[in-house]
Amino acid sequence: MDKRIKVVVVGGGYAGVMAANRVTQRDDVAVTVINPRQAFVPRLRLHQLVGGTHDAVVDYREVLAEGVELVVGTAARIDATARTVTLAEGGSIDYDYLIYAVGSFSRGPQVPGAAEFAYPVATLEAAQRLRSVLSDTPVPAPVTVVGGGPVGIETAAELAEQGRGVGLVCGGVLGPNLHPSARRAARKYLTRLGVEVIDGPDTSVTAVRSGAVELGDGRTLPSQVTIWAAGFGVPDLADPEAVFAPSSTTANSARTSS
Ligand SMILES: Cc1cc2nc3c(=O)[nH]c(=O)nc-3n(C[C@H](O)[C@H](O)[C@H](O)COP(=O)(O)OP(=O)(O)OC[C@H]3O[C@@H](n4cnc5c(N)ncnc54)[C@H](O)[C@@H]3O)c2cc1C
């Protein structure tokens, strides 16, 4: 019987991989990473996937240390008392220590028409879908990126580099978390690329329609493709409501080795 300490890492993104690789350096520890996808997704490449310059997928064998086990699955419940993680696909995995590294997701467009006509960018599947839409969209067609934070800035820049006409709707200040000098540099860089930065009071998007976005200041901007890069949320897996004590059966149906 394996007497090593069992460490389970929920989430195989940057944080989960770094933690797993660090912990596995101890001889007395067995590390398992649970992640829904078979491959590592370097999320900070997703805007490049949208622009067609990166596929944003890396084999876990390139990033996970030898000996770390990968379970392809989604943690649906954490039972902190029984120390088990229940998988959405069925079965559960026991642990002595759990590392919680589930990252974030796009909270989704909240304004009328956005769920229907705007494309999020924050997950692999969303970025792939958007890439496909852009492939079918003529380069001169107007593209609007909603969200003046880092993801919006990077996405707008990437698409402008492809020669697209991009408007970046900030809903307020461009790069609200940037130092003023970094904000000036970002604006200069975006302007040089041809991005129209639409910032200031009342520049929040109030509605998205087929072929247009509406702003709080009354303007309507033509937009053949509208990209939603505003608003991130966190999974509620660790919410007290979600952490409960189910009866657990141990099964590792989706188990693969890294
Ligand atoms: C388009 C874009 C561009 C970005 N550019 C930059 C940049 O230039 N620089 C920068 O520093 N940051 C950038 N970021 C932010 C950066 O990607 C995140 O800060 C980073 O990914 C966070 O790492 P993480 O490991 O915490 O989470 P993630 O990378 O999101 O990894 C979380 C992992 O947990 C998995 N997971 C979620 N729920 C479960 C569950 N229930 N069970 C099992 N697994 C689960 C997910 O599938 C994922 O694999 C960008 C983000 C986006 C979307």
Side-chain angles (χ1 to χ4, degrees):
M1 187 184 152
D2 190 348
K3 294 218 168 112
R4 290 178 298 170
I5 300 163
K6 287 183 270 186
V7 173
V8 167
V9 181
V10 182
Y14 298 101
V17 166
M18 289 291 289
N21 290 352
R22 183 64 67 90
V23 174
T24 202
Q25 289 172 7
R26 281 179 56 148
D27 292 339
D28 59 345
V29 169
V31 185
T32 301
V33 172
I34 304 172
N35 192 72
R37 297 183 195 86
Q38 179 78 49
F40 174 75
V41 174
R43 276 182 85 203
L44 57 80
R45 301 279 182 209
L46 288 180
H47 60 285
Q48 290 179 269
L49 166 57
V50 168
T53 58
H54 203 287
D55 63 4
V57 172
V58 173
D59 195 314
Y60 268 116
R61 280 174 297 198
E62 288 179 34
V63 293
L64 266 187
E66 205 177 315
V68 174
E69 185 180 27
L70 174 68
V71 171
V72 179
T74 301
R77 300 277 180 180
I78 297 169
D79 181 346
T81 309
R83 298 191 180 188
T84 58
V85 178
T86 303
L87 300 180
E89 297 78 6
S92 63
I93 298 173
D94 302 331
Y95 64 85
D96 296 307
Y97 293 94
L98 181 123
I99 296 175
Y100 188 80
V102 292
S104 63
F105 60 89
S106 171
R107 202 181 295 122
Q110 306 287 324
V111 302
E116 205 177 346
F117 298 115
Y119 296 89
V121 69
T123 64
L124 178 68
E125 293 74 17
Q128 286 171 334
R129 182 164 156 249
L130 175 55
R131 171 76 206 128
S132 155
V133 168
L134 285 168
S135 301
D136 295 338
T137 304
V139 170
V143 173
T144 302
V145 178
V146 182
V151 172
I153 290 171
E154 285 185 316
T155 306
E158 184 73 26
L159 295 178
E161 279 174 359
Q162 316 282 311
R164 292 190 178 272
V166 183
L168 176 62
V169 177
C170 301
V173 179
L174 171 71
N177 296 321
L178 295 178
H179 185 276
S181 63
R183 185 175 304 131
R184 280 194 297 276
R187 180 186 295 279
K188 205 167 146 191
Y189 178 67
L190 288 165
T191 305
R192 203 184 316 134
L193 286 173
V195 175
E196 185 189 359
V197 177
I198 300 151
D199 59 348
D202 298 325
T203 57
S204 289
V205 170
T206 52
V208 182
R209 293 193 271 110
S210 171
V213 295
E214 293 173 13
L215 303 188
D217 61 11
R219 275 184 286 173
T220 298
L221 309 177
S223 178
Q224 187 147 338
V225 178
T226 301
I227 300 172
W228 203 265
F232 282 75
V234 291
D236 61 3
L237 186 62
D239 273 3
E241 300 279 306
V243 178
F244 80 130
S247 58
S248 66
T249 51
T250 302
N252 300 311
S253 52
R255 195 163 275 210
T256 61
S257 260
S258 67

